[in-house]
Amino acid sequence: MNLKKIIFLVVLVITSTYLIIFQWQLAPRPVYLLITNSTDLSKENINGLKLHENIKESNFIKKYGEIHYLNMNSSHDYFSLKNGLVIATDKGSHEIVRIIVNDNNTKKLVTQNGIKLGDFSEKVVKLYGKNNYKRREQGAEILGYIDKKNQITLEFWCEENKIQMIRLDITSMN
């Protein structure tokens, strides 16, 4: 073998190994997250519950009581709280990475700007602004906002322009 072929094969092996080991860093971001202007969601919460809270801390337990394990997938555990919220943590972690409002019994639960289930999507745009993206998933029209600095997304899942679910995530959940 000549030297050029050997160098090419070495570079190919090193590059392939690097891509396999660090694949998670190279995972593509959905285009809508890249092209949407950022919205400040640093104070965003659902009835005071914020992302990154620790579900094992005494203040959390005092406020929300016993949490009920719902299910898991390969990378997250899901729990329900007594007020009807559903939360997710990374596998093996106690830090909240997703908050979901999707039960009609939770109409009293509101976002930082006062949005609740049953509100119209026009109200969302009025209160959160026009820097949003739109996408479809599972038959729902989704109106979303991203805070690129704090790596947070806030999505409103709608049917016939009425909010059926609210989802607050860290961006790696998307």
Side-chain angles (χ1 to χ4, degrees):
M1 247 188 203
N2 70 27
L3 186 58
K4 285 183 179 181
K5 286 184 180 179
I6 293 172
I7 291 172
F8 175 77
L9 288 174
V10 169
V11 168
L12 182 65
V13 168
I14 290 171
T15 303
S16 299
T17 304
Y18 177 82
L19 290 174
I20 290 168
I21 292 172
F22 297 104
Q23 179 181 1
W24 61 271
Q25 290 180 344
L26 300 174
R29 304 301 298 156
V31 172
Y32 59 84
L33 293 179
L34 297 173
I35 62 173
T36 303
N37 290 329
S38 190
T39 298
D40 182 6
L41 300 173
S42 61
K43 295 179 182 171
E44 194 58 52
N45 66 83
I46 308 292
N47 275 46
L49 181 63
K50 291 185 171 191
L51 295 171
H52 304 293
E53 286 191 48
N54 187 322
I55 65 172
K56 295 292 184 180
E57 286 186 1
S58 60
N59 288 341
F60 183 89
I61 295 168
K62 186 177 182 179
K63 184 173 182 179
Y64 296 100
E66 182 181 344
I67 62 173
H68 301 283
Y69 182 76
L70 291 175
N71 62 25
M72 63 179 169
N73 63 31
S74 61
S75 56
H76 299 93
D77 291 322
Y78 285 83
F79 304 91
S80 67
L81 304 179
K82 68 180 180 182
N83 62 0
L85 285 171
V86 173
I87 59 172
T89 62
D90 285 331
K91 184 79 61 207
S93 171
H94 304 295
E95 183 178 300
I96 298 171
V97 295
R98 172 174 280 170
I99 302 170
I100 302 170
V101 180
N102 66 353
D103 184 346
N104 285 330
N105 296 327
T106 60
K107 286 193 176 190
K108 294 179 183 175
L109 297 173
V110 297
T111 66
Q112 176 68 26
N113 288 351
I115 301 294
K116 64 186 179 310
L117 296 184
D119 284 345
F120 287 97
S121 56
E122 293 84 13
K123 183 177 178 183
V124 173
V125 174
K126 182 179 177 184
L127 294 173
Y128 282 93
K130 294 183 180 179
N131 290 335
N132 59 61
Y133 57 87
K134 293 178 181 164
R135 66 185 187 90
R136 291 188 61 83
E137 184 177 324
Q138 300 174 17
E141 293 185 22
I142 300 167
L143 178 63
Y145 293 85
I146 181 169
D147 182 332
K148 294 179 181 183
K149 178 182 176 189
N150 294 296
Q151 300 180 346
I152 297 170
T153 59
L154 176 62
E155 293 187 332
F156 301 92
W157 293 48
C158 304
E159 287 182 23
E160 298 177 8
N161 291 323
K162 281 183 111 176
I163 299 168
Q164 304 297 315
M165 182 171 80
I166 301 168
R167 195 168 82 178
L168 180 62
D169 291 319
I170 62 170
T171 55
S172 64
M173 294 286 286
N174 290 310

